[in-house]
Short mmCIF file of all heavy atoms in Angstrom, two decimals:
data_model
loop_
_atom_site.label_atom_id
_atom_site.label_comp_id
_atom_site.label_asym_id
_atom_site.label_seq_id
_atom_site.Cartn_x
_atom_site.Cartn_y
_atom_site.Cartn_z
N GLY A 21 72.24 104.96 55.39
CA GLY A 21 73.40 105.83 55.61
C GLY A 21 73.60 106.13 57.08
O GLY A 21 74.73 106.17 57.57
N PHE A 24 74.99 102.96 58.70
CA PHE A 24 76.39 102.81 58.32
C PHE A 24 77.28 103.77 59.10
O PHE A 24 78.34 103.39 59.60
CB PHE A 24 76.56 103.03 56.81
CG PHE A 24 77.98 102.90 56.34
CD1 PHE A 24 78.59 101.66 56.28
CD2 PHE A 24 78.70 104.03 55.99
CE1 PHE A 24 79.90 101.55 55.85
CE2 PHE A 24 80.00 103.93 55.57
CZ PHE A 24 80.62 102.68 55.50
N VAL A 36 90.05 102.83 69.05
CA VAL A 36 90.76 103.81 69.88
C VAL A 36 90.82 103.33 71.33
O VAL A 36 91.83 103.49 72.01
CB VAL A 36 90.09 105.19 69.78
CG1 VAL A 36 90.65 106.15 70.79
CG2 VAL A 36 90.26 105.74 68.38
N TYR A 49 109.67 90.22 85.01
CA TYR A 49 111.05 90.15 85.50
C TYR A 49 111.24 91.09 86.69
O TYR A 49 111.80 90.70 87.71
CB TYR A 49 112.02 90.50 84.38
CG TYR A 49 113.46 90.60 84.84
CD1 TYR A 49 114.17 89.45 85.16
CD2 TYR A 49 114.09 91.82 84.97
CE1 TYR A 49 115.47 89.52 85.60
CE2 TYR A 49 115.39 91.91 85.41
CZ TYR A 49 116.09 90.76 85.72
OH TYR A 49 117.38 90.83 86.16
N GLN A 50 110.76 92.32 86.56
CA GLN A 50 110.92 93.30 87.65
C GLN A 50 110.14 92.86 88.89
O GLN A 50 110.61 93.02 90.01
CB GLN A 50 110.45 94.69 87.20
CG GLN A 50 110.74 95.77 88.21
CD GLN A 50 112.22 95.92 88.51
OE1 GLN A 50 113.05 95.85 87.62
NE2 GLN A 50 112.55 96.11 89.76
N GLU A 60 114.45 88.45 100.77
CA GLU A 60 115.78 88.57 101.38
C GLU A 60 115.72 89.45 102.62
O GLU A 60 116.32 89.13 103.65
CB GLU A 60 116.76 89.12 100.36
CG GLU A 60 118.21 89.09 100.80
CD GLU A 60 119.14 89.55 99.69
OE1 GLU A 60 118.98 89.08 98.55
OE2 GLU A 60 120.01 90.38 99.98
N ALA A 62 113.10 89.94 104.52
CA ALA A 62 112.29 89.27 105.55
C ALA A 62 112.94 87.96 106.01
O ALA A 62 112.37 87.26 106.85
CB ALA A 62 110.90 88.99 105.01
N GLN A 64 113.32 85.16 104.48
CA GLN A 64 112.52 84.01 104.06
C GLN A 64 113.28 83.28 102.95
O GLN A 64 114.24 83.81 102.40
CB GLN A 64 111.16 84.46 103.54
CG GLN A 64 110.29 85.12 104.59
CD GLN A 64 108.99 85.63 103.99
OE1 GLN A 64 108.83 85.69 102.78
NE2 GLN A 64 108.07 85.98 104.86
N GLU A 69 116.26 82.68 91.04
CA GLU A 69 116.76 83.90 90.37
C GLU A 69 116.07 84.04 89.01
O GLU A 69 116.08 83.12 88.20
CB GLU A 69 118.27 83.78 90.16
CG GLU A 69 118.92 84.98 89.51
CD GLU A 69 119.03 86.16 90.44
OE1 GLU A 69 119.14 85.97 91.65
OE2 GLU A 69 119.00 87.30 89.93
N PHE A 79 107.01 95.22 66.67
CA PHE A 79 105.93 94.65 65.89
C PHE A 79 105.59 95.64 64.80
O PHE A 79 105.80 96.84 64.95
CB PHE A 79 104.72 94.38 66.80
CG PHE A 79 103.59 93.70 66.13
CD1 PHE A 79 103.71 92.42 65.65
CD2 PHE A 79 102.38 94.36 65.95
CE1 PHE A 79 102.65 91.79 65.02
CE2 PHE A 79 101.32 93.75 65.33
CZ PHE A 79 101.46 92.46 64.86
N GLY A 83 104.40 101.37 65.40
CA GLY A 83 104.46 102.78 65.00
C GLY A 83 103.13 103.50 65.18
O GLY A 83 103.08 104.71 65.37
N LEU A 84 102.04 102.76 65.16
CA LEU A 84 100.72 103.39 65.32
C LEU A 84 100.45 103.82 66.76
O LEU A 84 99.69 104.75 66.99
CB LEU A 84 99.62 102.42 64.86
CG LEU A 84 99.60 102.08 63.38
CD1 LEU A 84 98.55 101.01 63.12
CD2 LEU A 84 99.33 103.30 62.56
#
Side-chain angles (χ1 to χ4, degrees):
F24 180 72
V36 171
Y49 174 73
Q50 187 60 40
E60 189 175 313
Q64 296 176 347
E69 182 74 29
F79 184 66
L84 294 175

